[in-house]
Amino acid sequence: MKSSLSEKVYLTIAVIVLWFAIGLQFNLSLNTLNDDVWATLKIMLSFFTVLSNILCAIALTVILLFKNSSVGQFFEKSSTKAAITVYIVIVGIIYNLALRGLAVPSGWHSVANELLHVINPLLVLVYWIFFANKSNLEYKNAFTWLLYPLLYIIMIIVRGIMINKYPYPFINVVELGYPKALLNTLIILIVFYLVSVLFIFAGKRQSKA
């Protein structure tokens, strides 16, 4: 299926904004860490927000530039597009409901923060609503989509055991202890599943309409 001109224009804008936000956050973090590239990457890639923004940026870039490649066909799948939309939308939901206000960034830090947690999730959501094919979505997809957040949680727990640091307060074992932290992660996985089911339901309704 060929992309319409409006889809290509929207994708171009979204890709530029996504990569700008990631690059801006990297540059700001790099300056904070005295130009230590490795330390910057280690910290940035420990955040689900950054990983999900990178995933969206890669996916939309591939769809825009390499749509007919094997990787492009993977990202063109209705289940793939819906999954990455769920991931980035949950980034926005969790930040704005649970994390906003815990830190108050200013200047360019505030710009990067709003781009990563608000603007980019909205850009990807709008793309999914208006341009993504939703005809092949199935409710069983919701279980498969849990693999990414589950692997992230395992990585963060292992990382936390090694360095005794955690990127988010709701999974901070040092402060909360394992029972509370694991309960919080279970709740987050349930939220992922419920939001996934909601997206599948909405996608099926829109596809039929």
Side-chain angles (χ1 to χ4, degrees):
M1 183 175 64
K2 293 184 178 180
S3 300
S4 64
L5 178 60
S6 57
E7 180 182 355
K8 288 181 178 179
V9 170
Y10 188 89
L11 271 174
T12 301
I13 295 171
V15 165
I16 291 172
V17 175
L18 281 160
W19 284 118
F20 172 77
I22 295 165
L24 177 60
Q25 183 61 57
F26 176 79
N27 185 63
L28 293 171
S29 300
L30 189 63
N31 291 337
T32 301
L33 295 171
N34 300 315
D35 295 330
D36 188 331
V37 174
W38 178 237
T40 301
L41 287 174
K42 285 195 296 183
I43 290 177
M44 282 190 64
L45 296 180
S46 70
F47 285 92
F48 189 84
T49 293
V50 175
L51 291 173
S52 298
N53 272 271
I54 291 174
L55 176 60
C56 289
I58 291 173
L60 297 192
T61 301
V62 170
I63 291 170
L64 177 65
L65 301 177
F66 310 105
K67 190 171 185 176
N68 295 323
S69 67
S70 57
V71 178
Q73 291 303 304
F74 170 75
F75 284 120
E76 264 290 290
K77 290 181 179 179
S78 57
S79 61
T80 306
K81 284 185 177 179
I84 64 172
T85 305
V86 167
Y87 301 148
I88 196 69
V89 165
I90 289 182
V91 164
I93 291 173
I94 291 180
Y95 175 78
N96 286 286
L97 292 183
L99 300 176
R100 183 177 287 278
L102 295 182
V104 184
S106 60
W108 284 107
H109 289 276
S110 178
V111 174
N113 188 64
E114 295 304 316
L115 284 170
L116 293 171
H117 294 102
V118 179
I119 303 302
N120 289 353
L122 288 175
L123 280 174
V124 177
L125 177 60
V126 169
Y127 173 73
W128 183 78
I129 291 173
F130 290 102
F131 299 108
N133 175 29
K134 308 170 186 70
S135 60
N136 297 320
L137 290 177
E138 300 292 341
Y139 286 109
K140 63 183 180 181
N141 295 146
F143 289 104
T144 306
W145 299 349
L146 288 176
L147 181 62
Y148 168 56
L150 181 59
L151 288 175
Y152 171 78
I153 289 170
I154 293 172
M155 179 192 77
I156 290 306
I157 290 175
V158 172
R159 176 181 179 270
I161 292 172
M162 296 173 62
I163 67 173
N164 216 33
K165 291 182 180 179
Y166 297 84
Y168 295 107
F170 46 79
I171 54 174
N172 190 333
V173 174
V174 177
E175 297 291 333
L176 302 176
Y178 276 104
K180 180 63 174 177
L182 292 176
L183 176 60
N184 288 343
T185 58
L186 177 60
I187 292 172
I188 290 170
L189 287 175
I190 292 173
V191 170
F192 267 99
Y193 178 76
L194 294 177
V195 173
S196 297
V197 169
L198 178 61
F199 267 71
I200 294 168
F201 173 77
K204 282 179 168 291
R205 288 290 298 272
Q206 186 178 352
S207 181
K208 289 179 180 180

